């Protein structure tokens, strides 16, 4: 008998309205840094995604800092000297899950599973603090008894 169900978050419960590298590039263009191509921004994100997944655990003591550090690396990959003000603007563009939305069947599915007294949880990549915040903003956090993320662990999910 099934007693619990764990979900991935990105691509399972939620999806990005636009890829993050497009959001990043839009901020750069708004700041007058129009020489960064979409391909260059995507390349910068691919390079830092590997760091995030394989080394995110190194930020365990300061989980909010990982995104700022990754944004600085992405800027450097694009040939831009990072400033705190520019990183602030990039962070603001991602704030409060503005770019995230739920798949249409998520809430009805979670309601149905909860009505069957199943224990629900998430097991996802990324940072727990970020996942909790995003689920809260998207108004589904209360469905989950467990929210686990591998971003500050020395392993990633299989």
């Amino acid at each position: 008998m099934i007693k619990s169900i764990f979900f991935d978050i990105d691509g399972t419960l939620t999806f990005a309205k636009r890829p993050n590298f497009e959001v990043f590039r839009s901020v750069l263009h708004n700041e007058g840094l129009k020489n960064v191509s979409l391909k260059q921004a995507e390349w910068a994100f691919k390079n830092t995604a590997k760091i995030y997944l394989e080394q995110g655990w190194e930020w365990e003591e300061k989980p909010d800092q990982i995104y700022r550090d990754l944004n600085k690396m992405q800027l450097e990959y694009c040939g831009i000297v990072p400033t705190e003000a520019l990183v602030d603007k990039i962070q603001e563009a991602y704030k409060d899950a503005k770019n995230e939305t739920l798949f249409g069947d998520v809430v009805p599915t979670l309601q149905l599973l909860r009505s069957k007294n199943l224990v629900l949880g998430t097991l996802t990549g990324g940072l727990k603090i970020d996942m909790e915040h995003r689920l809260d903003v998207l108004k589904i956090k209360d469905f989950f008894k467990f929210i686990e993320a591998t971003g500050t662990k020395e392993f990633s999910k299989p």
Side-chain angles (χ1 to χ4, degrees):
M1 173 176 208
I2 296 173
K3 295 180 181 181
S4 63
I5 298 176
F6 281 72
F7 292 90
D8 180 38
I9 295 176
D10 296 320
T12 302
L13 299 176
T14 70
F15 66 95
K17 296 173 193 170
R18 292 187 329 172
N20 283 338
F21 66 85
E22 285 184 14
V23 175
F24 173 82
R25 181 175 173 254
S26 294
V27 172
L28 298 183
H29 279 219
N30 290 342
E31 293 300 306
L33 301 164
K34 298 185 185 286
N35 61 331
V36 176
S37 70
L38 201 55
K39 187 175 182 178
Q40 191 176 13
E42 183 177 15
W43 179 80
F45 268 72
K46 284 182 181 175
N47 280 308
T48 56
K50 185 174 180 168
I51 294 166
Y52 177 77
L53 292 173
E54 293 177 0
Q55 299 172 11
W57 60 270
E58 293 177 7
W59 281 266
E60 185 172 18
E61 298 300 317
K62 49 187 175 160
D64 320 5
Q65 189 64 38
I66 189 171
Y67 299 110
R68 296 185 69 80
D69 290 350
L70 291 173
N71 286 151
K72 289 174 185 176
M73 288 179 221
Q74 291 156 352
L75 289 166
E76 289 170 353
Y77 282 130
C78 292
I80 298 167
V81 176
T83 66
E84 292 301 320
L86 183 54
V87 172
D88 288 344
K89 289 183 181 183
I90 294 166
Q91 290 297 301
E92 182 63 29
Y94 299 135
K95 188 177 175 187
D96 293 335
K98 288 180 188 174
N99 194 39
E100 295 280 330
T101 193
L102 295 172
F103 285 102
D105 59 351
V106 169
V107 173
T109 300
L110 295 174
Q111 289 170 334
L112 175 66
L113 294 172
R114 184 169 59 188
S115 75
K116 296 183 179 291
N117 294 317
L118 292 167
V119 174
L120 303 179
T122 68
L123 178 57
T124 192
L127 298 174
K128 184 174 181 174
I129 192 170
D130 179 41
M131 297 306 151
E132 288 174 343
H133 175 73
R134 287 170 47 205
L135 294 174
D136 191 40
V137 169
L138 293 166
K139 299 183 181 358
I140 62 169
K141 182 179 175 189
D142 291 340
F143 283 102
F144 301 102
K145 182 172 182 176
F146 301 99
I147 298 172
E148 293 299 329
T150 62
T152 55
K153 309 289 186 230
E154 291 189 49
F155 60 88
S156 60
K157 64 181 180 157

